[in-house]
């Protein structure tokens, strides 16, 4: 009989506030923050520091790399490391659209002003323009030679963009690591200007809200500012007829150099962003500095130029009087040129506590009146130490300059820090009832509820390396890199006592004795020390004893070793002590007399973790040589050596009551093994960094791992059976599918190319369409034969053929079943799914398209499928004589259907316009009274105002 196991499935993950791989953004109201959390997206209430929602797609395992906010305030585009883009709805917290087109990690993402067009850039050097409404890619822009770093839309100066012309009007500016900044015409789908003045990678760019200024940032200490002549761009876009690439290049001078602005930081620019009001510019650099620049108004610029001219005249007059310069003209009449330094001034700087990752302004401050009432602008900064900060930068009130206002320095308004470690947790410990889990990192110790993921306690500690709960789960002991043992009282959330356990050398391991009377520690001072638990009474300052007793540790004996101790473990029966040394050996001693028993050698590198089975007969060791070895504790023989991971093994743990064990390594994986037949049972994926620590529940109900990505992940045991052969087949299928999805380079492609990427979803969708076509063709062929028999033998009356069970279940005709199958394909995957069809099935599909056109079924989808097939198989279709009559029939039928659709849309638009006019006439005074609205807003601000009291 084949042995079966129970499968472990990912249950939850916690401890991540904001991952450094992506950017954090405000929501449209400025109350929430949308932040990346590895493969998930978390919505935080910034002021309360609580999680509001969590966005995740079960089909996705890639890390979030970019987030963009839509102007409609509801949709958010999320880019991933595998090149996919998902659109989430903030109101429902669900995935609406999945877009696949990039072959590399998404590095830039931005919506156009209408919210109907999305531009994305990735490490594959391509820029893709997406139709958000149609859920499909429009075209791919190629021209850059390195990763795309930033994208920005340029609004036309004439008529504003609308949802109907957003994808065919306007321009896009892109920057890349190839030192180039390119301007693209969306109508011509061509690059119309390239800025080549940068001498290093362009890391960020920003376009002002009025599309007048363009700012680029590199690794030097200057920001380059450019002016955009939108009227020249509109002169090209407003031409009637088809715009060619040659015509579009006539606007090559649309972007001209304006000047440079010095930064206070010497690190490279990470992000640039204009404030929604256009009055401020934010610059983020790698040296923990965020700078806010102020954009002077035209009146301030003129005043500054007048003062400069006055100083120049006085200087010229003085030099003339001294005879140094001849009086050749009136300097007051000389026109001085305005530069970028005259318009942009350094306003305030924010010093962050760690390296920043992203910067975002509050979008609700688009109106300057809102900024004036608040008295400052709010800046959201995410840091690479798993923290999220919101800063308040005071601004001068209206009518006052910066010097007159005497503004304070930027202040930290609120932050989200308590729900995660600043550094990676290196140790995990489970309570005896497996309800609490402790994670220890550098300078912090946190206690979590294992089921809910809530942080119960947060304590300050040293550089933690190992940790263990003491009997009763009221106390926890932590071993540090400084060689200290720190004892903490969990209910009191306080440190009780510290012990210098290993004379300044690192304390690498802690294990509680099975009799619950003491513990064993091992350190880099070549000593294994034994400690016993004692109860003592605390004394107050006056000498009176308190009634509450607490636990303490008392050193009882020491075992001197020949090398540094890396791991220790006492057998569950309390008879043996296993010690792993730096010399790659494992020494086994009798626990009571400490006499030497066994020496286990065979690893090529030191053993970093070991564990003993619950029956005390089997020992497992994990080493930095990537192998796991199983040893018998009766004679010390090696049962099996397994190459367990592709990187060094970091932790091994047995499941209580079995010989199953888990191993973790720096290859980001956790494996489950059977210690009896030496087979791998299951591979647990999900971590995005080196797995450092591992903990298994008492009876293997779940397993917990902490990794370099600061996440604590839980895999829970389910009731689903697992068979080894089926698991190996599934892993081979996944490997085969990954090979099918490998990108295929297309050398020599034009600057504008098609959008699409083959994925398993598109391949499976194409297979479903082919199956539907085969089923429908077979059904039609049976009925055609039946009708032919009836025509030839009218008196015989043959029996009608049996209808396919699928069609009977769906209650559809063959042509309707094919249409339903295509409708079920996601719009973003439809083009790639149709590419899978062979030409004979394309001809079959054209016959069904003719039927759909005649019956006016889903005219929009019919047109899309028809046009794609004609573009893809034009040469073959033209060479097929039988298709001429079919195409004529489709053309005549589609024209009628399209005219009907056009008339219906026009009628609906006219009706909506009429309703809007009637509503505006009757409701303007009620809903658009500015004074009433302003009064309501002022009242709300007054209620929320905080008053400070002085003593």
């Amino acid at each position: 009989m084949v042995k079966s196991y129970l499968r472990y499935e990912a249950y939850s993950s916690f401890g991540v506030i904001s991952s450094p791989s992506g950017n954090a953004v405000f929501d449209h109201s400025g109350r929430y923050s949308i932040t990346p959390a590895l493969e998930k997206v978390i919505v935080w209430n910034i002021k309360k520091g609580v999680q509001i929602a969590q966005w995740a797609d079960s089909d996705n395992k890639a890390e979030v790399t970019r987030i963009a906010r839509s102007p409609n305030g509801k949709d958010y585009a999320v880019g991933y490391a595998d090149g996919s883009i998902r659109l989430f709805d903030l109101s429902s917290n669900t995935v609406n659209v999945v877009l696949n087109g990039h072959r590399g990690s998404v590095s830039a993402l931005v919506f156009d002003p209408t919210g109907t067009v999305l531009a994305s850039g990735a490490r594959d050097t391509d820029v893709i323009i997406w139709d958000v409404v149609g859920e499909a890619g429009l075209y791919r822009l190629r021209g850059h030679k390195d990763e795309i770093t930033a994208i920005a839309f340029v609004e036309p100066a004439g008529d504003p963009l609308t949802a109907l012309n957003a994808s065919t009007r306007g321009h896009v500016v892109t920057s890349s690591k190839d030192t180039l900044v390119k301007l693209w015409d969306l109508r011509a789908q061509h690059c119309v200007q390239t800025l080549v003045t940068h001498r290093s990678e362009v890391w960020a760019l920003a376009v002002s809200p009025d599309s007048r200024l363009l700012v680029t940032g590199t690794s030097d200490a200057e920001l380059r500012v450019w002016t955009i002549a939108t009227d020249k761009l509109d002169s090209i876009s407003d031409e009637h007829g088809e715009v060619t690439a040659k015509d579009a290049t006539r606007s090559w001078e649309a972007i001209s150099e304006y000047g440079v602005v010095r930064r206070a930081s010497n690190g490279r620019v990470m992000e640039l962003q204009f404030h929604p009001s256009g009055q401020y510019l934010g610059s983020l650099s790698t040296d923990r500095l965020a700078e806010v620049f102020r954009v002077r108004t035209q009146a301030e610029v003129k005043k500054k130029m007048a003062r400069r001219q006055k100083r120049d005249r006085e200087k010229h007059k003085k030099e003339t009087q001294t005879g140094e310069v001849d009086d050749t003209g009136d300097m007051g009449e000389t026109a001085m040129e305005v530069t970028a330094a005259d318009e942009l001034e350094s306003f305030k700087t924010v010093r962050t506590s760690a390296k920043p990752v992203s910067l975002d302004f509050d979008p609700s401050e688009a109106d300057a009146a809102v900024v004036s009432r608040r008295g400052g602008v709010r800046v959201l900064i995410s840091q690479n130490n798993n923290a999220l900060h919101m800063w308040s930068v005071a601004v001068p009130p209206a009518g006052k300059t910066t010097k007159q206002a005497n503004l304070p320095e930027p202040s930290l308004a609120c932050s989200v820090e308590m729900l995660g470690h600043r550094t990676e947790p290196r140790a995990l410990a489970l309570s005896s009832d497996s309800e609490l889990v402790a994670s220890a990192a550098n300078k912090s110790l946190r206690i979590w509820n294992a089921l809910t993921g809530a942080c119960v306690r947060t304590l300050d500690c040293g550089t933690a390396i190992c940790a263990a709960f003491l009997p009763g789960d009221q106390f926890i002991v932590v071993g540090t890199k400084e060689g200290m043992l720190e004892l903490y009282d969990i209910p009191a959330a306080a440190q009780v006592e510290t012990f210098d356990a290993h004379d300044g050398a690192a304390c690498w391991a802690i294990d509680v004795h099975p009799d619950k009377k003491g513990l064993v520690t091992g350190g880099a001072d070549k000593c294994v020390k034994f400690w016993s638990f004692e109860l003592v009474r605390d004394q107050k300052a006056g000498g009176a004893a308190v009634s509450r007793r607490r636990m303490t540790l008392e050193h009882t004996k020491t075992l001197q070793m020949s090398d540094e101790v890396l791991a220790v473990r006492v057998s569950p029966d309390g008879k043996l002590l296993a010690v792993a040394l730096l010399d790659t050996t494992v020494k086994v001693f009798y626990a009571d007399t400490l006499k030497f028993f066994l020496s286990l050698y065979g690893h090529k590198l030191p053993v970093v973790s070991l564990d003993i089975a619950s029956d005390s007969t089997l020992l497992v060791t994990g080493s930095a040589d990537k192998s796991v070895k199983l040893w018998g504790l009766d004679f010390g023989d090696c049962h099996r050596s397994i190459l367990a991971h592709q990187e060094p093994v970091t932790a091994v743990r047995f499941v209580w009551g079995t010989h199953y064990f888990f191993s973790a390594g720096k290859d980001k994986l956790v494996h489950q093994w059977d210690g009896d037949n030496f087979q791998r049972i299951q591979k647990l994926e999900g971590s995005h960094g080196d797995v450092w620590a591992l903990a298994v529940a008492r009876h293997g109900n779940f397993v917990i791992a902490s990794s370099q990505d600061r996440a604590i992940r839980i895999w829970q045991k389910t009731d689903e059976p697992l068979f080894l052969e089926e698991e190996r087949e599934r892993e081979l299928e996944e490997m085969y599918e990954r090979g099918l999805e490998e990108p295929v380079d297309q050398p020599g492609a034009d600057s504008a190319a098609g959008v699409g990427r083959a994925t398993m979803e598109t391949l499976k969708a194409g297979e479903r369409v082919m199956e539907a076509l085969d089923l429908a063709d077979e059904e039609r062929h049976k009925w055609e034969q039946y009708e032919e028999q009836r025509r030839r033998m009218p008196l015989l009356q043959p029996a009608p053929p049996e209808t396919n069970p699928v069609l009977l279940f769906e209650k559809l005709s063959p042509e309707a079943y094919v249409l339903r199958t295509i409708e079920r394909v996601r719009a973003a995957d439809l083009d790639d799914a149709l590419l899978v069809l062979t030409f004979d099935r394309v001809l079959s599909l054209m016959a069904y398209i003719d039927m759909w056109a005649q019956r006016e079924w889903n005219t929009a989808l019919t047109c899309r499928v028809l046009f794609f097939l004609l573009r893809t198989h034009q040469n073959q279709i033209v060479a097929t004589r039988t298709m001429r009559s079919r195409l004529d029939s489709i053309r005549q039928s589609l024209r009628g259907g399209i005219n009907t659709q056009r008339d219906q849309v026009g009628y609906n638009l006219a009706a909506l316009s009429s309703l809007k006019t009637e509503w505006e006439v009757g409701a303007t005074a009620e809903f658009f009274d500015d004074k009433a609205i302003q009064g309501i807003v002022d009242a709300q601000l007054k209620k929320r105002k905080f008053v400070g009291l002085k003593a």
Side-chain angles (χ1 to χ4, degrees):
M1 184 175 178
V2 179
K3 187 175 182 179
S4 64
Y5 305 88
L6 294 180
R7 183 180 299 276
Y8 283 82
E9 295 286 351
Y11 174 70
S12 65
S13 65
F14 49 88
V16 178
I17 298 173
S18 178
S19 56
S21 60
N23 64 309
V25 299
F26 275 110
D27 76 319
H28 67 285
S29 65
R31 296 172 55 194
Y32 304 136
S33 169
I34 318 298
T35 62
L38 303 177
E39 74 277 4
K40 302 177 181 178
V41 178
I42 297 180
V43 182
W44 295 98
N45 186 319
I46 309 175
K47 289 187 176 180
K48 296 181 179 180
V50 296
Q51 178 178 319
I52 302 300
Q54 184 174 272
W55 301 345
D57 191 350
S58 58
D59 298 332
N60 170 66
K61 296 181 181 179
E63 203 169 359
V64 175
T65 57
R66 199 69 187 171
I67 301 177
R69 178 180 57 248
S70 174
N72 63 15
K74 183 179 67 172
D75 296 328
Y76 291 82
V78 180
Y80 294 86
D82 61 354
S84 63
I85 300 172
R86 287 169 174 81
L87 268 63
F88 288 88
D89 190 338
L90 180 61
S91 57
S92 61
N93 300 318
T94 56
V95 182
N96 290 339
V97 184
V98 179
L99 305 173
N100 289 295
H102 287 293
R103 296 172 176 84
S105 176
V106 177
S107 56
L109 211 56
V110 65
F111 281 94
D112 80 316
T114 66
T116 59
V117 176
L118 176 68
S120 63
R123 290 186 178 179
D124 59 3
T125 73
D126 290 347
V127 177
I128 299 180
I129 307 298
W130 304 90
D131 182 2
V132 177
V133 179
E135 302 180 5
L138 297 176
Y139 42 84
R140 187 189 302 265
L141 303 176
R142 286 175 173 164
H144 285 290
K145 303 300 182 184
D146 208 336
E147 176 184 344
I148 307 297
T149 55
I151 303 175
F153 279 90
V154 178
E155 296 186 45
D159 297 333
L161 292 175
T162 63
L164 299 177
N165 61 7
S167 61
T168 58
R169 287 195 58 199
H171 295 75
V172 167
V173 182
T174 61
S175 64
S176 172
K177 289 185 180 180
D178 59 4
T179 73
L180 301 179
V181 175
K182 289 180 177 290
L183 176 66
W184 304 84
D185 190 329
L186 297 186
R187 188 170 184 181
Q189 302 176 18
H190 187 76
C191 176
V192 297
Q193 186 176 356
T194 301
L195 307 180
V196 296
T197 58
H198 301 92
R199 293 293 176 264
S200 61
E201 296 93 341
V202 182
W203 291 98
L205 66 80
V207 174
S208 60
D210 57 0
S211 298
R212 187 178 61 88
L213 296 179
L214 168 66
V215 183
T216 58
T218 60
S219 57
D220 56 19
E222 294 179 343
L223 296 179
R224 289 170 174 80
V225 186
W226 315 75
T227 57
I228 305 175
T230 54
D231 52 346
K232 295 182 180 180
L233 298 177
D234 295 339
S235 64
I236 297 297
S237 299
D238 291 340
E239 293 180 356
H240 299 285
E242 197 70 25
V243 178
T244 63
K246 184 177 181 181
D247 296 331
T249 54
R250 298 197 337 238
S251 61
W252 64 270
E253 72 280 2
I255 299 180
S256 56
E257 193 168 356
Y258 192 30
V260 297
V261 177
R262 296 286 301 180
R263 297 188 295 120
S265 170
N266 293 322
R268 72 168 177 86
V269 176
M270 298 186 64
E271 191 160 352
L272 289 172
Q273 186 176 356
F274 271 96
H275 190 266
S277 64
Q279 297 179 350
Y280 302 95
L281 171 68
S283 171
L284 197 65
S285 57
T286 56
D287 55 357
R288 302 186 182 184
L289 200 64
E291 301 177 60
V292 179
F293 295 87
R294 181 171 171 270
V295 182
R296 294 189 177 98
T297 61
Q298 294 296 326
E300 291 175 338
V301 173
K302 289 181 180 179
K303 189 175 181 180
K304 180 179 178 63
M305 298 305 296
R307 290 198 303 265
R308 182 182 298 176
Q309 288 181 353
K310 182 179 179 181
R311 290 196 301 267
D312 290 345
R313 285 197 301 268
E314 292 176 354
K315 180 179 180 181
H316 180 74
K317 183 177 179 181
K318 184 177 179 180
E319 292 176 349
T320 303
Q321 292 176 355
T322 57
E324 296 179 2
V325 179
D326 295 335
D327 190 4
T328 57
D330 188 4
M331 290 295 296
E333 301 297 330
T334 305
M336 302 189 66
E337 183 180 359
V338 180
T339 62
D342 299 326
E343 189 168 353
L344 288 173
E345 64 169 340
S346 180
F347 180 58
K348 293 292 182 180
T349 57
V350 175
R351 178 70 65 174
T352 60
S353 58
K355 182 181 177 181
V357 176
S358 66
L359 172 145
D360 190 40
F361 285 109
D362 188 350
S364 64
E365 299 173 350
D367 188 0
V370 176
V371 179
S372 179
R373 286 196 299 270
R374 290 181 176 176
V377 297
R378 297 192 295 181
V379 184
L380 179 68
I381 298 178
S382 64
Q383 301 179 170
N384 70 343
N385 65 341
N386 199 26
L388 193 65
H389 292 172
M390 186 177 74
W391 295 80
S392 178
V393 181
V395 300
K400 288 188 177 181
T401 62
T402 305
K403 294 182 179 179
Q404 295 172 347
N406 192 19
L407 300 174
E409 291 298 318
S411 59
L412 181 62
C414 49
S415 62
V416 183
E417 291 183 337
M418 300 304 295
L419 299 179
H421 289 284
R422 303 284 75 77
T423 58
E424 54 200 60
R426 301 297 294 265
L428 285 178
L430 269 174
S431 61
S432 59
D433 55 4
S434 299
E435 291 186 359
L436 297 178
V437 56
S439 61
N442 185 19
K443 308 300 182 184
S444 67
L445 170 67
R446 282 177 166 79
I447 312 298
W448 310 83
N449 187 314
L451 297 179
T452 63
C455 184
V456 180
R457 291 287 187 272
T458 300
L459 303 167
D460 294 333
C461 67
T463 307
I465 299 178
C466 53
F469 276 94
L470 299 189
D473 299 331
Q474 299 293 313
F475 293 86
I476 187 172
V477 61
V478 175
T480 67
K481 193 175 182 179
E482 295 79 14
M484 306 295 292
L485 282 181
E486 300 177 353
L487 185 63
Y488 294 90
D489 186 343
I490 298 177
Q495 185 183 69
V496 177
E497 201 171 352
T498 60
F499 307 90
D500 188 3
H502 293 278
D503 300 328
C507 177
W508 288 110
I510 297 177
D511 188 35
V512 178
H513 201 279
D515 60 5
K516 310 298 183 183
K517 296 181 180 180
L519 56 85
V520 183
T521 63
D525 59 348
K526 305 180 183 180
C527 291
V528 176
K529 295 190 176 183
F530 296 81
W531 307 77
S532 63
F533 301 142
E534 302 291 340
L535 291 177
V536 298
R537 293 183 181 273
D538 287 330
Q539 299 291 330
K540 284 188 175 181
V546 297
S547 59
R548 183 175 182 271
R549 297 192 301 173
R550 66 170 178 85
M551 184 178 291
T552 187
L553 300 177
E554 183 177 349
H555 181 216
T556 57
K557 52 186 175 181
T558 301
L559 175 62
Q560 189 70 33
M561 305 300 297
S562 60
D563 211 333
E564 295 184 15
V565 179
L566 299 182
V568 295
R569 185 70 63 186
V570 181
S571 62
D573 58 6
K575 296 181 179 180
L576 299 177
L577 170 68
V579 182
L581 302 179
L582 189 63
D583 60 2
T584 73
T585 63
V586 176
K587 308 292 185 183
V588 181
F589 300 86
Y590 291 103
D592 50 357
T593 62
L594 299 185
K595 288 185 178 181
F596 177 76
F597 175 47
L598 295 171
S599 178
L600 310 178
Y601 55 90
H603 283 289
K604 297 179 181 179
L605 290 174
V607 173
V608 296
S609 180
L610 57 84
D611 197 16
I612 300 177
S614 57
D615 57 1
S616 301
T617 61
L618 205 60
L619 171 71
V620 61
T621 58
S623 169
D625 61 5
K626 310 176 187 179
S627 68
V628 167
K629 292 182 183 293
L630 288 164
W631 312 81
L633 287 179
D634 44 3
F635 301 106
D637 56 324
C638 180
H639 290 183
R640 182 63 63 93
S641 178
I642 306 171
L643 182 61
H645 293 266
Q646 300 298 320
E647 297 293 336
V649 179
T650 56
V652 289
R653 287 292 180 271
F654 269 108
V655 178
W656 184 265
T658 68
H659 284 177
Y660 304 153
F661 68 91
F662 290 89
S663 67
K666 291 187 177 182
D667 56 357
K668 309 177 184 179
L669 297 175
V670 176
H671 290 165
Q672 183 188 12
W673 305 86
D674 189 338
D676 292 328
N677 58 17
F678 318 117
Q679 295 291 323
R680 188 182 67 189
I681 302 174
Q682 190 180 357
K683 178 172 63 175
L684 305 180
E685 299 176 321
S687 298
H688 297 274
D690 303 345
V691 181
W692 289 114
L694 202 61
V696 182
R698 179 68 173 179
H699 298 289
N701 294 330
F702 59 86
V703 57
I704 303 180
S706 66
S707 56
Q708 192 177 18
D709 56 13
R710 300 184 179 89
I712 300 173
R713 297 181 181 274
I714 299 180
W715 291 271
Q716 193 172 34
K717 186 165 65 175
T718 63
D719 296 331
E720 179 185 354
L722 182 148
F723 300 94
L724 295 182
E725 292 184 0
E726 293 181 357
E727 188 68 13
R728 298 294 90 79
E729 291 177 0
R730 188 182 64 83
E731 293 177 359
L732 290 175
E733 288 178 0
E734 291 180 354
M735 187 182 303
Y736 174 70
E737 291 175 359
R738 284 195 298 267
L740 292 178
E741 295 181 7
E742 288 183 358
V744 179
D745 296 332
Q746 300 178 2
D750 298 333
S751 59
V755 178
R757 182 169 70 93
T759 62
M760 285 310 302
E761 288 78 8
T762 61
L763 295 177
K764 292 177 180 178
E767 291 177 355
R768 289 194 297 269
V769 173
M770 287 192 291
E771 291 174 358
L773 288 172
D774 294 341
L775 187 149
D777 289 343
E778 182 181 356
E779 190 69 18
R780 286 180 60 205
H781 181 66
K782 288 192 303 184
W783 282 96
E784 287 176 358
Q785 289 181 343
Y786 170 70
E787 294 296 337
E788 181 67 19
Q789 290 179 2
R790 287 187 58 186
R791 186 180 62 81
R792 291 183 178 181
M793 297 175 289
L795 300 178
L796 187 60
Q797 291 296 329
E802 294 183 0
T803 306
N804 191 289
V806 177
L807 298 180
L808 284 176
F809 177 78
E810 296 280 354
K811 297 181 181 180
L812 296 173
S813 61
E815 57 272 15
Y817 176 69
V818 176
L819 180 60
R820 176 67 62 84
T821 303
I822 293 180
E823 287 175 343
R824 289 174 178 172
V825 179
R826 291 189 308 198
D829 298 338
L830 182 57
D831 291 351
D832 293 316
L834 294 176
L835 285 175
V836 181
L837 303 182
T838 57
F839 187 67
D840 58 339
R841 291 188 174 93
V842 170
L843 297 180
S844 176
L845 183 56
M846 294 292 287
Y848 292 107
I849 290 175
D850 190 9
M851 299 178 191
W852 303 340
Q854 292 175 6
R855 302 173 189 180
E856 297 185 2
W857 287 354
N858 201 339
T859 305
L861 181 61
T862 302
C863 292
R864 180 180 175 183
V865 174
L866 174 64
F867 297 155
F868 179 81
L869 294 179
L870 291 178
R871 288 196 307 268
T872 307
H873 305 280
Q874 180 184 6
N875 296 332
Q876 294 88 338
I877 291 176
V878 170
T880 306
R881 294 183 179 181
T882 57
M883 288 300 298
R884 181 177 180 86
S885 59
R886 180 80 66 193
L887 292 175
D888 288 338
S889 176
I890 293 175
R891 179 184 59 185
Q892 295 175 3
S893 303
L894 270 185
R895 282 183 177 177
I898 291 175
N899 289 333
T900 303
Q901 293 278 343
R902 182 188 61 188
D903 296 340
Q904 184 178 1
V905 171
Y907 180 84
N908 292 337
L909 287 175
L912 290 174
S913 178
S914 177
L915 290 174
K916 178 183 177 183
T917 303
E918 293 179 4
W919 181 80
E920 287 178 346
V921 170
T924 299
E926 181 179 355
F927 292 98
F928 293 95
D929 189 354
D930 294 336
K931 293 184 179 179
I933 294 175
Q934 188 62 41
I936 294 173
V937 172
D938 293 340
Q940 292 175 350
L941 291 176
K942 188 177 294 184
K943 290 179 181 179
R944 295 177 60 185
K945 185 176 180 180
F946 294 91
V947 180
L949 299 178
K950 295 183 179 180

